Amino acid sequence: MEISNIITLALGVSVVANGFLVSKLMKKSKENKYFSSQLQKFKDLSSKLRDIVVQREETFYKNLHEVAVGFLERVNKSYFIVLDGEYGSTVSIFGDSSINVAKRVKKTELPFATERVYTIEKDKLSALFPNLVKDGSEKKMLLVSDIFIGGELKAKLLFERDEPFAKEEMETIKSLGPFFTSFIATHSYVSNQGKFQKDMILTIIRILEYHDPYTKGHSKNVATLASLIAEKMGLSDEMIRKTYWAALVHDIGKIVIPSTILNKEGKLTIEEFEIIKKHPVYGHDFLSTSSDLRELAKYVYHHHERWDGKGYPSGLSGEDIPLISRIITVVDAWDAMRSDRPYRKGLPKEVAMKELVEHSGIQFDPSIVKVFLSLIEEQGIG
Ligand SMILES: [Fe+2]
């Protein structure tokens, strides 16, 4: 099954569960204000669904945690613990971060009850939160929510505050359980699927590198730098990931260009150059056979366009060229200038930077050059 179908299916299940909860809350919202505000939060949660499941692990848990905390009136501290085998790891902390929290704790040392949502005395958690127990001698209660996937305990959410938790709040947290289950399960599926596809693509890149040894490491460098630019430009997580993948495969079409042309040391003839110029078209043709990779195919197709419209294969100019392709063009040129070739040494960093500036607004998108130059300064990119 394709990844997009899996997401749609899992989200569909969540939406059905959400619909059930919303209707339950709607009945209660007529009764009091607390439930009507909770109803709004559930509605907002649905719209966030798709964005959250495709995020990187760290951001994903942080956002999911934030959503959970938002459902309670007030929380001093909260911890999100994910279990893996015999151990639990704290993946997100809300509130006072100076509290000493064990990053990894044995599953058997975690609080446990037969209910899915329950309160527990704070000093029962000494193994996990040694300093939390020491601060304040009174026995505070913690609200614990256990999240199960396929009958197996997968995560724990802990909430702490000075006042006791109301029955309604415990009910809300309980209602969130199915959401969290489907969020975490979908996210872990999407991440694994992503890893498999990445491994496949890296294998193909390695084959390309055998065919064209001068590109060794080039695809990975271009992918890393392109995604740094995308991040710096404030693009969404999904766009950053697409940038990385498109950059990783940008030269994949070279695999069908004869190696005698690719590896030729002397000057290329006009005919040979025309053959090389076809690699973005070939790359596009390979990638567009997979529905998951079709969008990347478009970015690969345009990675040799120029800002002034004198590039190939379409001769697009300015912002008509897809943004991701424009990002790849800049870092592709940078990495090529900085790398050694059999017939010349790589250009020094300052010279390569000067080249980028000189061709900014002609070959390259000036705003991307600006972002990239500031990245070079800030992060000391070689
Ligand atoms: Fe290329």
Side-chain angles (χ1 to χ4, degrees):
M1 191 184 285
E2 277 173 18
I3 197 161
S4 53
N5 297 340
I6 296 283
I7 297 179
T8 312
L9 187 70
L11 297 188
V13 172
S14 290
V15 169
V16 171
N18 187 27
F20 173 71
L21 291 164
V22 167
S23 66
K24 206 167 127 190
L25 282 169
M26 270 174 84
K27 274 182 212 143
K28 291 195 175 179
S29 71
K30 287 170 195 139
E31 292 161 25
N32 67 41
K33 248 170 107 184
Y34 172 75
F35 281 108
S36 67
S37 86
Q38 297 303 79
L39 176 64
Q40 190 51 48
K41 284 178 191 166
F42 270 109
K43 283 181 179 166
D44 295 344
L45 180 61
S46 294
S47 61
K48 280 187 187 168
L49 231 55
R50 182 171 276 271
D51 290 344
I52 289 182
V53 286
V54 294
Q55 279 169 347
R56 284 171 294 182
E57 192 148 285
E58 213 175 285
T59 329
F60 164 74
Y61 284 125
K62 216 175 139 274
N63 280 322
L64 202 56
H65 195 188
E66 224 166 69
V67 168
V69 170
F71 272 89
L72 292 170
E73 287 297 292
R74 207 171 61 76
V75 171
N76 286 357
K77 292 157 202 147
S78 178
Y79 311 89
F80 195 160
I81 301 159
V82 170
L83 293 128
D84 187 10
E86 288 309 299
Y87 290 89
S89 312
T90 312
V91 290
S92 168
I93 302 170
F94 172 87
D96 188 358
S97 57
S98 67
I99 294 289
N100 182 12
V101 178
K103 276 278 170 206
R104 232 164 110 80
V105 68
K106 271 195 166 170
K107 199 173 177 176
T108 46
E109 289 169 351
L110 288 166
F112 181 75
T114 46
E115 284 288 307
R116 299 241 155 152
V117 174
Y118 49 93
T119 52
I120 190 160
E121 285 168 18
K122 212 165 74 175
D123 60 359
K124 296 264 167 34
L125 292 173
S126 56
L128 188 58
F129 308 108
N131 286 4
L132 180 69
V133 177
K134 274 179 216 149
D135 87 359
S137 54
E138 81 276 29
K139 281 190 171 180
K140 280 183 192 164
M141 302 297 277
L142 281 146
L143 175 61
V144 185
S145 168
D146 286 348
I147 296 148
F148 287 79
I149 295 177
E152 203 183 315
L153 183 61
K154 185 65 192 166
K156 274 178 186 284
L157 271 160
L158 279 74
F159 307 94
E160 196 239 302
R161 72 167 181 222
D162 297 332
E163 309 86 50
F165 291 94
K167 208 170 157 254
E168 289 91 343
E169 287 179 301
M170 289 182 72
E171 252 192 44
T172 305
I173 293 297
K174 210 173 188 173
S175 312
L176 276 173
F179 276 99
F180 279 67
T181 299
S182 90
F183 270 125
I184 296 172
T186 312
H187 182 264
S188 106
Y189 183 84
V190 170
S191 310
N192 287 337
Q193 187 80 0
K195 193 183 168 297
F196 174 71
Q197 287 185 337
K198 197 169 158 186
D199 285 347
M200 291 268 294
I201 287 175
L202 286 173
T203 305
I204 300 167
I205 298 293
R206 255 172 249 131
I207 297 170
L208 173 65
E209 287 174 354
Y210 270 109
H211 184 63
D212 180 17
Y214 304 126
T215 62
K216 196 151 189 149
H218 174 68
S219 308
K220 258 193 156 175
N221 282 348
V222 170
T224 307
L225 295 175
S227 54
L228 280 174
I229 293 181
E231 203 172 340
K232 177 96 180 163
M233 290 176 86
L235 302 187
S236 68
D237 270 16
E238 201 169 348
M239 281 290 276
I240 297 171
R241 192 168 33 243
K242 281 176 186 166
T243 307
Y244 181 88
W245 282 39
L248 197 59
V249 295
H250 75 281
D251 270 345
I252 201 75
K254 281 189 178 169
I255 219 154
V256 289
I257 308 286
S259 61
T260 46
I261 300 179
L262 285 177
N263 301 323
K264 189 177 171 182
E265 291 188 10
K267 212 172 173 286
L268 293 170
T269 64
I270 293 170
E271 292 77 27
E272 286 168 337
F273 190 54
E274 284 306 315
I275 294 171
I276 285 201
K277 275 168 74 178
K278 289 208 175 102
H279 78 273
V281 182
Y282 295 143
H284 172 271
D285 290 352
F286 303 153
L287 295 167
S288 54
T289 54
S290 152
S291 62
D292 280 345
L293 302 176
R294 200 160 294 146
E295 193 181 341
L296 302 187
K298 182 177 79 180
Y299 307 134
V300 167
Y301 189 82
H302 294 294
H303 83 272
H304 279 287
E305 306 286 359
R306 290 167 51 117
W307 186 254
D308 61 8
K310 291 182 183 162
Y312 59 89
S314 302
L316 293 184
S317 63
E319 290 185 358
D320 286 343
I321 308 164
L323 176 61
I324 290 180
S325 309
R326 278 181 270 145
I327 294 175
I328 296 173
T329 309
V330 173
V331 284
D332 187 17
W334 169 264
D335 196 70
M337 286 193 283
R338 295 285 289 130
S339 312
D340 291 337
R341 288 286 185 267
Y343 46 92
R344 63 150 175 85
K345 286 282 283 170
L347 295 180
K349 189 172 164 180
E350 288 67 31
V351 179
M353 284 168 80
K354 225 177 126 218
E355 285 289 318
L356 286 187
V357 175
E358 274 173 18
H359 293 87
S360 172
I362 303 163
Q363 187 177 351
F364 310 121
D365 177 341
S367 64
I368 295 171
V369 170
K370 221 171 128 193
V371 170
F372 187 49
L373 290 176
S374 70
L375 262 176
I376 296 173
E377 299 284 345
E378 284 163 26
Q379 302 199 11
I381 288 164

